[in-house]
Structure formats: structure tokens, C-alpha cells
Amino acid sequence: GKVMKDGMVVVIINSGLIYTNTIAHGCEPSNAMGFVTGVELGGYIVSSISNKPPIQWYSNALGISEKEFLKNIMVHTQQHAIAMPDGEGGYVMRAGGMPYQNNKMSFVAPFKVGTPVVLMKCTNLNILKASQEIKEDVNLHLGKNIKPAVVIGTMCASREVILKEGTKKEKAMK
């Protein structure tokens, strides 16, 4: 072979591979909307939503006391995840927010000040329909009804928190 200098590597693969990706979470937006007005620690700590402490904002949006919200915070923040519009008609969700010093909340992914947020309603029925929604999305994206050779999926931990024993009744996507 030859040794080339100042060149570029090009790889061309000709394949019949058809690819798409999709996501379905089984949640719908509620009427409870706001915007992030304060963050700390790179956005992982939300200090205010619509100029209120996030625990107060969440409790008010759900119509329950802060005490009741904190008593069952894991269930409330899973069934009513906070989400932001993704710009494509869907939502990026942040479920499982936990209390952090002085009425703040911590999340596993960061928020930015000014981000619009909405509380989602995650019902058992919608969560169980998510697999079918994914199947329909794949067919829509590909423009035809095909049986995939490979499907790679991940399951959100929220399903187990919300559905509990119901997850055992789910059927695999066919």
C-alpha cells in the first residue's frame, strides 16, 4: 500500500438498513404551567418555578398541601412529572424530583432559567398504551408497516413506581 499524507478517511457502507427512533412515556400535559425562575448547582437544583419555591408550586398545581406532597413525593413526581416542550410537539420529562434544602428540589438532569414547564398527567392506561404508540410511530416514520428485525428498548423506572403490580401484566410489543 501507499502512505498518504494530509489525507482524509472515507468509509462508505451500502446497506438496506432502515432506522428510526421514537419515545413514548404515557403522559399528557396538564393545565399546570409555569417557567423556571431560579436554579443552583448548574441547574440540578431548582430554587423557584414562576417565582415560587418548587415544592409550593408543585403542591398548588396538584391542589394538595405541601405536607401531603412531601409525604408521597416519589409517587407525585412520577405521576405528575415536570416537563418542558421539546420543540417537536413532545415533552422532555424530569420525573422523581426530590426535596433539597429550604423548599428547593433536586433533579437528575439540569434545568435553565426561563425554561417553560408543565406538569404531566401519567395515567396507568396511557402508560400501558406506550408500547403500541411506539409501534405506530415506527411505522409512521418508516412510511410502511414492517416487522423490525431488532428492537432496542429501555423502560423508565417511573413505570414500576406508578403501575406497581401492573407491570407484570404488560405484554411485549408484537
Side-chain angles (χ1 to χ4, degrees):
K2 281 186 171 181
V3 176
M4 301 281 205
K5 166 177 148 175
D6 296 329
M8 174 172 62
V9 175
V10 177
V11 176
I12 299 173
I13 300 173
N14 186 4
S15 169
L17 177 67
I18 300 172
Y19 165 82
T20 189
N21 66 321
T22 188
I23 184 171
H25 41 67
C27 299
E28 299 172 339
S30 72
N31 292 329
M33 295 182 236
F35 59 97
V36 177
T37 50
V39 298
E40 299 173 12
L41 299 175
Y44 290 94
I45 305 300
V46 174
S47 56
S48 62
I49 300 174
S50 297
N51 296 312
K52 294 180 183 175
I55 291 174
Q56 179 186 354
W57 182 84
Y58 236 118
S59 301
N60 290 346
L62 295 175
I64 60 175
S65 69
E66 289 181 33
K67 183 178 179 180
E68 178 62 29
F69 176 73
L70 290 170
K71 180 179 169 187
N72 247 337
I73 191 167
M74 183 59 86
V75 173
H76 290 306
T77 59
Q78 300 288 341
Q79 286 184 326
H80 304 281
I82 193 167
M84 48 210 131
D86 68 4
E88 297 180 14
Y91 294 88
V92 176
M93 297 194 330
R94 300 282 190 267
M98 296 304 288
Y100 184 81
Q101 308 169 346
N102 301 323
N103 233 1
K104 301 171 190 171
M105 290 182 75
S106 65
F107 292 88
V108 297
F111 285 90
K112 290 185 178 181
V113 170
T115 302
V117 293
V118 62
L119 280 190
M120 303 297 277
K121 296 182 293 185
C122 304
T123 66
N124 291 11
L125 182 59
N126 285 349
I127 290 172
L128 291 170
K129 289 180 180 177
S131 295
Q132 183 63 31
E133 185 180 332
I134 288 173
K135 183 178 176 182
E136 290 168 4
D137 279 355
V138 167
N139 291 335
L140 179 68
H141 291 245
L142 298 178
K144 55 185 166 182
N145 189 359
I146 64 169
K147 184 176 180 179
V150 176
V151 174
I152 300 171
T154 60
M155 190 170 296
C156 179
S158 295
R159 294 174 71 84
E160 184 66 30
V161 171
I162 295 169
L163 296 174
K164 295 177 181 48
E165 292 297 313
T167 56
K168 294 178 182 175
K169 296 176 185 174
E170 287 185 284
K171 295 181 180 176
M173 185 171 60
K174 294 181 181 180

